[in-house]
Amino acid sequence: MILAVSNQKGGVGKTTTTVQLAAVAAAQGRRVLLVDADVQGNLSSVVAEVDDDQTGLADVLSTRSPDTIRDVITGTGWRQVDLVPTAGVALGAVRDELVIAGAGRELRLREAIGEVAGEYDLIVIDCAPALDQLTINALCAADAVAIITHTKLWSLNGLDQLLATIGSVQTYYNQGLRIAGVVVNQHEAGTVSGRAWLDDLRTATAARDLELLEPPIPKRVLISDATEAGRGLADWGSAEASELAQIYAQHLIALTREDPTPKAVAR
């Protein structure tokens, strides 16, 4: 399965979610490929040692490079997990290249991943905080998309814009794309605003026929500590970390559940 982790808003925890879902999948014995489709390269920096001049996703997507996805895949700190890395400024340049590229630009990542998809149980694409050609490439390549959000003031504002983009991809490029679920991250259950925004999210997702995954992932420093150290919560060595790992494990089941009748996004 190929899962895109997306939201055009930054700071909602897409990379953290990608890392912890991969850790859970690897612990279950699944072979995982991570694809860093964010020009910031945060995913690459936490799961592997990459140099600024290392070949990566930019080389795969650019017509100026002969490299295939097999040429750039690298190992990580986890035995079951490989990475298509991003480092330096190359991916930003390729993103700009894609803007003026001709027919087929939206499908370059799908074609590249197709070469190795059969070798992995799960492929997770960490999308950029933008609705640009890199994100569209990720959505075109994916079987499903996980929307990551949090319970803050602007959580709902970009949801319709993201859904419109997903709907366009479904219509023109990837009819099988489905929304696997909405993950609430960094939730502060002890605050009045956190509870109020969660209620609003529940109402908004229900109105759009989207599944809001329960329970929300709480805001905890140890989640960011484990992620920045490139470690799964289950290996962090505390009872609280193990409990949080179980939430990610529960969400992984929901996000990778097969849906024989994917629903189109209403626009």
Side-chain angles (χ1 to χ4, degrees), residues 30-265:
R30 301 195 207 184
R31 186 84 191 279
V32 181
L33 177 65
L34 299 177
V35 180
D36 192 348
D38 185 351
V39 296
Q40 299 174 89
N42 292 333
L43 175 63
S44 300
S45 67
V46 298
V47 301
E49 295 183 6
V50 295
D51 301 321
D52 284 351
D53 58 352
Q54 183 169 336
T55 57
L57 182 61
D59 302 275
V60 175
L61 297 180
S62 177
T63 57
R64 302 177 184 179
S65 168
D67 290 315
T68 69
I69 196 167
R70 291 186 188 279
D71 296 323
V72 306
I73 289 176
T74 185
T76 68
W78 301 329
R79 185 172 55 86
Q80 292 289 111
V81 181
D82 290 336
L83 170 71
V84 176
T86 284
V89 299
L91 188 59
V94 172
R95 174 194 58 196
D96 297 339
E97 175 188 321
L98 289 170
V99 172
I100 59 174
R105 63 182 180 175
E106 297 88 358
L107 304 177
R108 291 187 188 180
L109 183 57
R110 179 200 289 184
E111 293 170 354
I113 288 178
E115 299 178 18
V116 298
E119 300 170 20
Y120 294 93
D121 302 303
L122 176 65
I123 298 174
V124 187
I125 308 171
D126 186 20
C127 296
L131 296 178
D132 56 15
Q133 277 298 320
L134 294 175
T135 296
I136 291 173
N137 260 262
L139 296 175
C140 288
D143 299 310
V145 54
I147 298 174
I148 313 301
T149 188
H150 57 183
T151 45
K152 294 292 184 181
L153 178 61
W154 309 115
S155 299
L156 297 177
N157 287 19
L159 183 60
D160 285 332
Q161 186 180 3
L162 176 57
L163 292 177
T165 299
I166 293 171
S168 294
V169 170
Q170 288 174 322
T171 299
Y172 297 108
Y173 306 110
N174 186 1
Q175 294 182 356
L177 178 67
R178 62 184 179 84
I179 299 175
V182 179
V183 177
V184 177
N185 194 41
Q186 303 171 357
H187 178 54
E188 297 177 89
T191 67
V192 173
S193 63
R195 293 192 295 271
W197 283 113
L198 181 59
D199 287 342
D200 286 349
L201 273 171
R202 285 174 174 146
T203 300
T205 52
R208 294 162 175 80
D209 200 22
L210 302 175
E211 181 179 5
L212 186 71
L213 303 189
E214 301 280 3
I217 298 170
K219 185 175 183 179
R220 296 289 187 273
V221 172
L222 67 85
I223 297 178
S224 58
D225 286 347
T227 301
E228 290 170 9
R231 293 175 59 185
L233 286 162
D235 297 325
W236 196 242
S238 73
E240 184 181 14
S242 296
E243 291 174 2
L244 291 168
Q246 286 301 312
I247 297 177
Y248 283 101
Q250 186 173 327
H251 288 352
L252 180 65
I253 293 172
L255 293 171
T256 58
R257 184 171 53 230
E258 294 295 333
D259 185 353
T261 56
K263 299 175 183 177
V265 174

